[in-house]
Structures are given as C-alpha cells and as structure tokens.
Amino acid sequence: MNKWKNWLLGSSLMTLMLFLSGCVRLDSNGNPDTSGIIYRVLVHPMGQAITYLVENFNWSYGWAVIFMTVIVRIIILPLGISQSKKTMIQSEKMQALKPQVEAAQQKLKSATTREEQLAAQTEIQQVYRENGLSMTGGIGCLPLLIQMPIFSALYFTARYTEGIRESSFYGIDLGNPSLVLVAIAGVAYLLQGYISTIGIPEEQKKTMRTMLIISPAMIVFMSISAPAGVTLYWVVGGIFSCLQTFITNVIMKPKLKAQVAEELKQNPPKQVVTPRKDVTPVRQESSKKQVQEPKKTNGRNAGKQQKRK
C-alpha cells in the first residue's frame, strides 16, 4: 500500500513538473510567446538581468547564468527548507504511530466482511486524525506551485536569452550540447539523491530508489540534446540542491529528531488502536493440544492391542 502511495506521489510530482514547465508557451517556430504571463513576469526580467551583467560588468554569459541561478535559488531557499522541515517532523511523528497503523492494517487484511474492512480503514484514519497528522506526510502543493514556475522561467531564460548561444564558457560552446556538462549534471543530481537517503531507515530507502534513479536520468535525457547554456543551469541547480539537501538532511534532521522525541516523551501519541496480544498464544495452545491428542489415542490403542494379544 505504501509503495503504491509513493509511486502515485512521485508520478504526480513528475506530471506537475512537466505541466508547469509548459507555462511558457511556444510559437510555431519554437520560440517563446512573449505575451505569456510567465514570460513577461519572470523570463524577460531574468534575461535582461543576465544581459546587464554581461554588458556592464564584462562578465561572460556563463558566469551570468550561474549568478542568476544562484540568486534565484537563494531567494526561494527558505521556502524549500521550511517545507523539508515540516516533512521531516511529520515523518518522525508518523514513525511513532507506526505500531498502531500496522495493527489497523493487520485488521484490514484479516477482515472477512465489508463492514470489518470499513471499520479498519476508519481506524487508520482516526490514528492520524486524533494525533493531528496528515496521511500524506505533510507534503503540501503550495511550495511546489511556487517553485516550479520559477525553475521553468530559469530554464527558458538560459535557453532563449540572446547572446548565450553565441558565447563560450571555458572552451565550452554554450550554443551546442556538451557531454561534459551533461555528465556533471547527472552526477550532481545522483549525489543529491544519495545525500537525501542519509539517516533514513532501510525500508524507506527501498521505496525511494526508483525516484533517485529517475531524477538524474531525466536530467541527463533533457540535457544531452539541449544547448550547453541550459545544461549549465542544470549543473548549478544540481550543486545547489546538494547543498540544500545537506543542510536539511545532515545538519537539521538530527536536531529535529531529538526535538520530536522530546515532544513525544512529554505528549505521547493518543492510543486509538490496540494490537490484540491474545491471538498468538491461543493458537499455539490449540496447536499443542492437536499434537498431543493423537499421542494419547495411539497409546490407548496400543494398550488395547496388547491386552487382546
């Protein structure tokens, strides 16, 4: 059940990313529609900022793309860290509810009627509701809806800003694909995925492995035929994602775990579902009786046979 939820969540996020990446409409020639709201509000100002840096500070377009990507990432960094913090707190609290959830799921598996199934499902919902948690782990859509148009605008800025295609960056032609930058981008996002698994239980790592492979694979797939100026944006984004994940998962997470543990110690989770501990011993005793009874019968039959002889 959890695997299906993780797969559905991952698929939904990928679909959302692809949908929001289309916020900038293209005309029949493949050029961006300058009348679109995302282009006018985000892409055009970012392109002008890159051009300003090149013309007034004698920067290369490569350094201007890097600078703009870092600035935008820093601006939305608090939002990303805040969302990660909420998700980690929810995850730690859900671990405390795991025994109750597993007990309710066991009832659901052993249910023989529709009424028993509905009752078990209701218990699962009550476990989360009584303890003030969301069954989705606290993952909200608003941070994604805010970030993805910005990332999409950065992508189109790096792809369509005039001057980038005709420039080079340390010998790399930004107007043509670069396998070197593609490899660096893939490694960066692969490293970011690895950092995100630090301190996570093995069972959760298994459910994350597919997404950890898909993310770098998609970046490589999109970058291998894209101009190097776009791939440079992916490289900077991947490196920045590594730093952000390191901050949240390595530096913040141990402190949050200790904080949640202390909070749960002072305010233990509400007991909604109690596992039945009397089921296993009864079954064991009944099985012992079934094993012992044939022995007694065999003993009596053997005595009768000896008397007849």
Side-chain angles (χ1 to χ4, degrees), residues 7-28:
W7 179 85
L8 182 61
L9 177 62
S11 301
S12 301
L13 294 180
M14 284 296 177
T15 303
L16 179 64
M17 184 182 74
L18 293 175
F19 173 76
L20 291 175
S21 296
C23 290
V24 179
R25 297 192 302 270
L26 302 178
D27 58 22
S28 57

Side-chain angles (χ1 to χ4, degrees), residues 111-126:
T112 57
T113 64
R114 180 62 179 170
E115 289 75 13
E116 291 178 350
Q117 292 177 352
L118 290 175
Q121 291 173 351
T122 302
E123 283 187 340
I124 295 175
Q125 295 173 358
Q126 286 179 342

Side-chain angles (χ1 to χ4, degrees), residues 36-51:
I37 184 171
I38 298 297
Y39 184 90
R40 289 187 287 107
V41 173
L42 294 175
V43 178
H44 184 62
M46 288 181 185
Q48 284 187 321
I50 290 176
T51 303

Side-chain angles (χ1 to χ4, degrees), residues 194-269:
Y194 170 76
I195 297 174
S196 67
T197 62
I198 296 176
I200 292 179
E202 287 297 327
E203 58 182 19
Q204 293 185 18
K205 288 182 181 180
K206 292 179 181 179
T207 60
M208 293 175 61
R209 282 174 185 168
T210 301
M211 290 302 300
L212 296 181
I213 296 174
I214 290 178
S215 179
M218 287 189 63
I219 295 298
V220 171
F221 176 77
M222 291 186 293
S223 300
I224 199 166
S225 59
V230 175
T231 309
L232 182 61
Y233 153 69
W234 288 117
V235 168
V236 179
I239 295 174
F240 200 92
S241 295
C242 288
L243 295 175
Q244 178 177 330
T245 306
F246 183 84
I247 292 172
T248 57
N249 212 50
V250 178
I251 298 177
M252 291 176 52
K253 190 170 185 178
K255 297 179 181 178
L256 289 175
K257 290 182 69 172
Q259 175 185 333
V260 173
E262 182 64 25
E263 181 180 340
L264 292 174
K265 184 178 179 180
Q266 296 179 359
N267 301 295

Side-chain angles (χ1 to χ4, degrees), residues 21-22 25 53 56 71 94 104 111 128-129 146 157 179 248 261 301:
S21 296
R25 297 192 302 270
L53 291 172
N56 292 273
I71 290 299
M94 289 175 72
Y128 290 104
R129 184 169 59 251
I146 294 175
T157 300
L179 294 179
T248 57
N301 291 337

